[in-house]
Amino acid sequence: MRRWRKKRRIFKSKVRIKAKKRVLKEEKITRGVSPLVEKYWLQRYDLFWRYDEGIKLDEEGWFSVTPEEIAVGHAQRCTGAGVVIDCFAGVGGNAIQFARVCDHVVAIDIDPEKVALAMNNAKVYGVEDHIDFIVGDFFQLAPSLKGDVLFLSSPWGGPSYKMTKKFTLDSLKPKDGHSLFQVAQKITPHIIMYLPRNVDLLEVEQLSWLSSPPLDIEIEGNTVRGHFKAITVYFGDAAITQLCLPRTLSGAACKVCI
């Protein structure tokens, strides 16, 4: 009995040592990462499951890229679509997933560095030949764009959006959500918007009324590992159900219904 207890203590000791080494290794790796980015680095495989194969991000990319599980869900809703335009592509998280299931993707970002990172990341996933990367301002390019589906994930203003009880569409950058949606509608009524989890859903619903007749709309709560992360809104043919009064205002994640 004593020998068994001794072996058990040795086993537990080894487990603790391994766990400590793993923590120290992660701390060593994250020393070169800013405090703002550190928690996102620990979630790197949720952002890109091929992270270790050469994925690159800038500081803003760490907290603005769509988690891969959610990006895959967005892409699945567009399977077989002709041209998808990712209007604020960032480091390419969504563009990569759209390229895997659609005919072609146009990925736009005003920041040349982000476009370079997105190109690199697309190569890691082997889809660079299915994406046209453009450095430019979406609002200036919009009159010349043609596509079947528009994906809108404009900047939320950084992590501070979480401090707001109710995020309004006026808080989107570089222009408010209403102006953004009006520009997008001139290209196609089939629009997907990726928004903060605390967005004012009644304000989002009103966007569907901007067209005549009003667009079909579906609001979806997005979770990763059971944590409520964001809201995705589908308009036009991208929507598969009609909107009912949302229950996400309480803070609980909705699945697909709403």
Side-chain angles (χ1 to χ4, degrees):
M1 178 66 74
R2 290 179 180 174
R3 185 179 297 174
W4 179 81
R5 288 178 178 172
K6 186 176 181 180
K7 287 182 178 179
R8 188 176 179 183
R9 284 196 295 271
I10 292 172
F11 174 75
K12 286 184 176 179
S13 178
K14 288 182 177 179
V15 170
R16 291 193 191 100
I17 290 171
K18 287 182 178 179
K20 189 174 181 179
K21 285 182 177 179
R22 185 167 58 249
V23 170
L24 289 173
K25 184 179 179 181
E26 289 195 345
E27 286 179 351
K28 183 178 180 181
I29 293 173
T30 56
R31 281 173 191 168
V33 175
S34 73
L36 178 63
V37 164
E38 187 170 330
K39 78 168 187 175
Y40 298 99
W41 186 89
L42 295 173
Q43 301 169 20
R44 59 197 180 282
Y45 300 116
D46 288 336
L47 304 181
F48 291 98
W49 74 271
R50 288 187 171 181
Y51 177 82
D52 291 337
E53 299 177 34
I55 293 296
K56 297 179 181 179
L57 301 91
D58 61 358
E59 183 168 280
E60 185 179 0
W62 278 103
F63 57 78
S64 63
V65 66
T66 305
E68 188 161 278
E69 181 180 342
I70 299 175
V72 168
H74 293 157
Q76 288 175 344
R77 297 291 290 268
C78 301
T79 300
V83 177
V84 176
I85 303 175
D86 187 348
C87 306
F88 303 90
V91 297
N94 280 99
I96 288 169
Q97 298 305 323
F98 284 129
R100 297 178 70 185
V101 299
C102 303
D103 293 343
H104 200 73
V105 177
V106 177
I108 303 168
D109 201 280
I110 198 168
D111 184 348
E113 181 182 347
K114 283 188 172 57
V115 172
L117 293 171
M119 292 175 68
N120 170 81
N121 298 339
K123 289 179 181 178
V124 171
Y125 280 80
V127 296
E128 69 275 17
D129 291 339
H130 298 279
I131 306 175
D132 281 337
F133 293 96
I134 300 176
V135 177
D137 183 335
F138 165 67
F139 294 99
Q140 292 182 3
L141 294 171
S144 62
L145 294 174
K146 294 182 180 179
D148 300 294
V149 179
L150 244 69
F151 179 72
L152 301 175
S153 181
S154 58
W156 301 348
S160 61
Y161 79 87
K162 298 176 184 178
M163 307 302 292
T164 304
K165 185 175 181 180
K166 189 174 290 187
F167 186 95
T168 64
L169 294 179
D170 288 341
S171 302
L172 290 175
K173 308 295 181 183
K175 291 188 179 182
D176 67 274
H178 296 91
S179 298
L180 172 61
F181 195 77
Q182 287 179 324
V183 172
Q185 274 193 302
K186 295 177 181 179
I187 301 170
T188 176
H190 314 310
I191 299 168
I192 302 174
M193 291 188 77
Y194 186 56
L195 297 164
R197 63 193 179 194
N198 56 341
V199 69
D200 185 340
L201 295 179
L202 296 180
E203 196 175 17
V204 171
E205 181 186 358
Q206 292 173 359
L207 291 177
S208 68
W209 305 341
L210 292 177
S211 64
S212 182
L215 294 173
D216 289 337
I217 179 174
E218 177 189 353
I219 300 177
E220 173 186 81
N222 305 126
T223 62
V224 176
R225 299 182 185 273
H227 298 287
F228 187 23
K229 292 291 186 179
I231 290 288
T232 302
V233 190
Y234 301 90
F235 296 92
D237 285 353
I240 59 172
T241 62
Q242 294 294 320
L243 178 73
C244 63
L245 287 178
R247 290 188 288 275
T248 49
L249 293 176
S250 65
C254 54
K255 292 196 178 177
V256 177
C257 121
I258 323 196

